[in-house]
Structure formats: C-alpha cells, structure tokens
Amino acid sequence: MIAATAIAVSVFVALQVAIELLDSELQDAAEDQLRADSRVLATDAERAGLAQVQLPPYPGSGRLVRVILPDGSTRTPAGQPALPPVSEDAGRVAQGASADLMESNDSDGDGYLIYTLRAGDGAVQVAARIADDSPITRLGLGMLLIGLLCVVGGALVGRTVARTGLAPIDRLTAAAVRVAHTQDLDADIPDEGGGEIRRLIQSINDMLAALRDSRRAQRLLAEDAAHELKTPLTSLRLNVELLVRLDRRGTLDGALPAESRTRLLNDLGAQVAELSTLAAELTDLARGDVTDESTEVLDLADVVVAAATRARSRVPDVEIALDVTSVWVSGRPAALQRAVLNLIDNAGKWSPADQPVQVRLLAEGASAVLEVDDAGPGIDAADVPRVFDRFYRADSARALPGSGLGLSIVQRVVDAHGGRATVARSARGGALLRVDLPAAAPPAPIAGRAAGEDTAVR
C-alpha cells in the first residue's frame, strides 16, 4: 500500500507538471509565431502604407490579420472571419502609447490570441485561434492510464517484495511462539535473511543459548542441592528416629547413658547447623547477582575487619591475624563481607590450633589485594582447578563440616566486582587464597588527607 500510494502520488504530480509544461510550451510557440508574422506585416505596412498594404484573401485557415488605421478604422483580408473588436489597450498601441500588446480573447466561445504591433501611424494585428486543448487532454488521459497501470504494478511488486522480505520475520515469529508454547529451548532458529533480520535472528539465538545455560545451571544446582542435602538429612532423621523409638519404649535413660545422649544431642545440633548453613548458602548462590544492595565506594579494610570479627565469634578457637591497609574499592559491602568471611572460614578448617589464619590486605598498583593463608596441608595440584566449583570437596575434606559452596560464592562475588580469585601454596605450606579487586579513588574528604597515611590493623 505504501509503494502504491507513493507511485500514485508521483504519477499525479508528474502528470500535472507535464501538462503545465506542455501547455506553456505551446503558448510560447504560438506567441513567438504571432510576433514573427506581425513583424513581417508591419514591415510591409510601413513600406506601402497602412491604407495601401496588400492583404491577401483569407485562405480558409491559418492566421488572421487586421490593420488599424490612424483614425481607428480597420482593414481585414477578404473572406476572413471577423475578429473581436479592437480593445482599448490595442487602440492605445495604435496611438503610440506602447509598442506592442499580447492579449487573449475568448468571448462568444471563440478564443483568440491577438498580438498588436505598432506600425507607421497605426498598428497591425495578427491573431490565431486559441488551440484546442483536446490533444493535451488526450495526453493527460494516456499518462493517467499509464500511471494507473504503474500503481497496480507497483502495488503487486511491493506486496511481493514485502512478503519476501518479511518471510524470515514470519518464520521467526512462528519459532518464538513455538518456543513459548513448548518451552523447548534446544531448537535454534535458522539463520537466514540478511542485514538487520539476520542480526535479529542471531540475537534471539544467543538469547535462547543463554536461557539454555541458565536452565542447565538451575537443574545442576537443584541436583547438587538434593545430593548435598541427602546426607545430613538422613543422619538427622536416623538420630531423631532413634530418640523417638527409645522414648516410646520408655528406655531412653537406660539405653543411652548421659555421655552418649550428650554426644547424640551435639550431633543433632551440628547437623541442624550444617543444614542451616547449607540452606543459606544455597539461597545465596541461587540468587546470583539479584540483590537490592547498592554499589558504593568503601574502604575494603573495614569489610575485612568486620568479617574477621564475625569469624572469631563463630569459631572462637581459631586465631585470626590481621594485617590490613586502607584500600578503597567500589562494591557491595554485604556481598564482599560474605566473601571474606567464607575465605576465613575455609582457612580456619585447615589451620592447626597453634597456627593463626593470616589475613593481609594491601594495594598493588591499581588493585586491592586480599590474601588469606593457613598452615594446613595445602591443596593438591589435582584439586586446584576445581577449588571454586560449587559443591566440590576434595577427598581430604569430606570428613570436615561444610557444603562445598563457600569458595563458589567467593568466586561469584569476585566476578561480579570485576576481580579475580586464585589459589596457590603459602609460604607456611598451606593454602594461599588471593583475591584481586579493582581499586577505586577514595571519596573527596578522604582524598584530602595527608599522602601515605595508611591504617594498619593487627
């Protein structure tokens, strides 16, 4: 419709312009011919005199002539049709008021184009009938017919082009509807078309691939969570069933000495705590980067000190040695504190009772570097590539409490802040976990402090 409308408008404008140009050209040609004939007649009249100039009989067609004498009378060839009366303007030309005059007269249904030229003491006139506009009308009708054919042809071509060009969009729409109804994300949309359509199809295929990865990650998380929850839940259920069965028999006090009962209750508490920790870590991991916490410029030293304080309250037996320097970063305080707390908790599981967990924070170039090391057995080379995988636990760590999610959460938080987490062997033989985060400029009031004024916390 747009193509047909555009062609129709173009044809109409072209038709109007062509008719106007043709009419103007014919008018100019007729006027030029009248001027040329008038000059010839005026030359003859001036040579022979207006009263004596020869006026050949009218041949029945062609131009019409008239001589205006000084007294206002006129002379015309024999047999020539009568011309309209001499107009006042033409009379003024005969009287010498002006040199010439071009006028048209279409009274009585007979239109004349009359040119009056001053000659001697009077004037000569040459006239021609105003051309019939039927040829122009026929030309206009012919062009209009051609224009209508062009409009119809343009509409058909435009429809064909539009359907051909939009065919990939139709198939893309059908594929999107099919995916929405079947929720099958494995079928990619065929890459066809060109230009913007191809880029659109590629973008939707990329989106489907991202959705597939997300669904696969959710499925793996659910499977891993079910697997990890099975063991503590089974142990907890067995202990509870044992207590309930003994209580129903009334043999709880006799069957379980006080020491065994205390040990069993402690196991129950530990299992409940393990389940609570696992549930919290699963929730945190499943949320990913979805959080209402806003990013702010903060002193990472404050975050490390707060995380160490929480770690001391959770595991009083583990000594934590801090050596931190004020380094500013842009990040989310709670997420960063959780990551630091997980690093310290992980090191605390392996650190011997007489060896502290060392936590260092320093600035290296444009990075804030956090190092947490312990004096434990270290991490085997075979386990290093999978240290930050979710639910992964080395064979040597299976007897220790934990879910295998702590370092995975650390990796996610560090990645979200544009940093990098690595593992190596510490100088004391244990594991050295290192986090590099992009440093940020401190707020203006802090920047105004004396240069080199660092704060160390031990």
Side-chain angles (χ1 to χ4, degrees):
M1 291 299 296
I2 293 174
T5 303
I7 293 174
V9 171
S10 301
V11 168
F12 177 77
V13 172
L15 177 61
Q16 290 298 113
V17 172
I19 290 177
E20 293 296 329
L21 289 176
L22 180 59
D23 185 64
S24 177
E25 287 294 328
L26 292 176
Q27 180 80 9
D28 291 343
E31 291 179 357
D32 290 342
Q33 185 62 45
L34 291 178
R35 289 188 180 93
D37 292 344
S38 296
R39 285 194 293 269
V40 173
L41 181 58
T43 301
D44 293 341
E46 289 178 352
R47 182 181 302 117
L50 292 174
Q52 287 79 26
V53 65
Q54 294 293 325
L55 298 177
Y58 182 67
S61 63
R63 66 175 186 171
L64 298 97
V65 299
R66 181 166 57 187
V67 175
I68 303 175
L69 300 174
D71 58 0
S73 60
T74 61
R75 293 179 59 212
T76 58
Q80 177 179 281
L83 287 171
V86 177
S87 66
E88 294 181 3
D89 292 334
R92 284 195 290 271
V93 172
Q95 296 171 5
S98 60
D100 63 351
L101 172 67
M102 183 69 71
E103 58 184 338
S104 62
N105 187 306
D106 55 2
S107 61
D108 301 328
D110 291 329
Y112 288 96
L113 183 64
I114 304 173
Y115 180 70
T116 305
L117 179 64
R118 173 75 173 169
D121 294 333
V124 296
Q125 288 185 324
V126 178
R129 292 185 182 274
I130 295 178
D132 185 7
D133 60 356
S134 57
I136 297 179
T137 302
R138 289 194 297 270
L139 175 63
L141 291 176
M143 292 184 64
L144 181 61
L145 179 60
I146 295 174
L148 290 177
L149 294 176
C150 291
V151 169
V152 174
L156 294 176
V157 173
R159 181 176 182 271
T160 303
V161 171
R163 289 180 63 86
T164 303
L166 294 178
I169 297 295
D170 293 337
R171 289 189 286 271
L172 178 61
T173 302
V177 171
R178 184 175 64 253
V179 170
H181 287 170
T182 64
Q183 297 189 1
D184 180 16
L185 304 177
D186 294 328
D188 286 338
I189 301 173
D191 189 0
E192 55 185 347
E196 291 80 2
I197 294 179
R198 169 166 290 183
R199 287 196 294 271
L200 175 61
I201 293 176
Q202 291 174 348
S203 299
I204 293 181
N205 283 333
D206 293 341
M207 180 186 69
L208 291 176
L211 290 174
R212 286 196 297 269
D213 294 341
S214 176
R215 175 180 288 182
R216 188 178 301 110
Q218 291 177 357
R219 184 171 60 251
L220 291 176
L221 178 62
E223 293 173 354
D224 292 343
H227 175 74
E228 293 297 327
L229 287 170
K230 185 186 301 182
T231 301
L233 281 175
T234 301
S235 177
L236 182 63
R237 180 172 58 82
L238 291 175
N239 288 332
V240 171
E241 287 178 353
L242 175 62
L243 290 175
V244 171
R245 186 164 55 248
L246 293 177
D247 182 65
R248 286 176 178 175
R249 294 176 181 176
T251 59
L252 181 59
D253 294 337
L256 284 179
E259 182 180 352
S260 298
R261 188 161 58 247
T262 300
R263 186 170 59 253
L264 181 59
L265 292 176
N266 290 336
D267 289 343
L268 287 174
Q271 290 158 4
V272 170
E274 183 178 357
L275 281 174
S276 298
T277 301
L278 180 58
E281 290 178 339
L282 281 173
T283 301
D284 186 66
L285 194 63
R287 288 180 63 193
D289 292 330
V290 179
T291 177
D292 295 332
E293 188 181 12
S294 59
T295 300
E296 60 184 73
V297 177
L298 51 90
D299 190 349
L300 191 58
D302 296 336
V303 175
V304 174
V305 171
T309 302
R310 287 183 58 187
R312 289 190 182 105
S313 64
R314 290 169 57 169
V315 188
D317 297 338
V318 177
E319 182 183 356
I320 301 173
L322 293 179
D323 183 7
V324 300
T325 300
S326 178
V327 184
W328 293 81
V329 298
S330 176
R332 302 195 297 267
L336 289 173
Q337 187 178 132
R338 179 63 184 273
V340 176
L341 180 61
N342 286 354
L343 289 173
I344 296 175
D345 284 345
N346 179 78
K349 296 175 186 177
W350 301 98
S351 184
D354 58 342
Q355 294 290 331
V357 173
Q358 295 183 353
V359 180
R360 296 181 293 274
L361 175 64
L362 64 153
E364 285 188 2
S367 300
V369 178
L370 173 67
E371 294 180 340
V372 179
D373 76 62
D374 59 71
I379 300 176
D380 293 339
D383 296 325
V384 169
R386 302 192 60 190
V387 164
F388 295 102
D389 292 349
R390 64 177 59 174
F391 294 110
Y392 178 75
R393 303 182 72 188
D395 294 337
S396 57
R398 303 221 174 251
L400 298 176
S403 62
L405 291 175
L407 293 183
S408 176
I409 294 174
V410 171
Q411 179 74 67
R412 179 180 58 78
V413 172
V414 172
D415 289 343
H417 286 77
R420 185 168 60 97
T422 56
V423 60
R425 182 170 293 276
S426 73
R428 296 189 295 167
L432 172 64
L433 294 171
R434 172 180 170 128
V435 171
D436 293 73
L437 295 175
I446 304 299
R449 293 181 181 176
E453 186 178 346
D454 293 337
T455 302
V457 182
R458 300 184 182 274

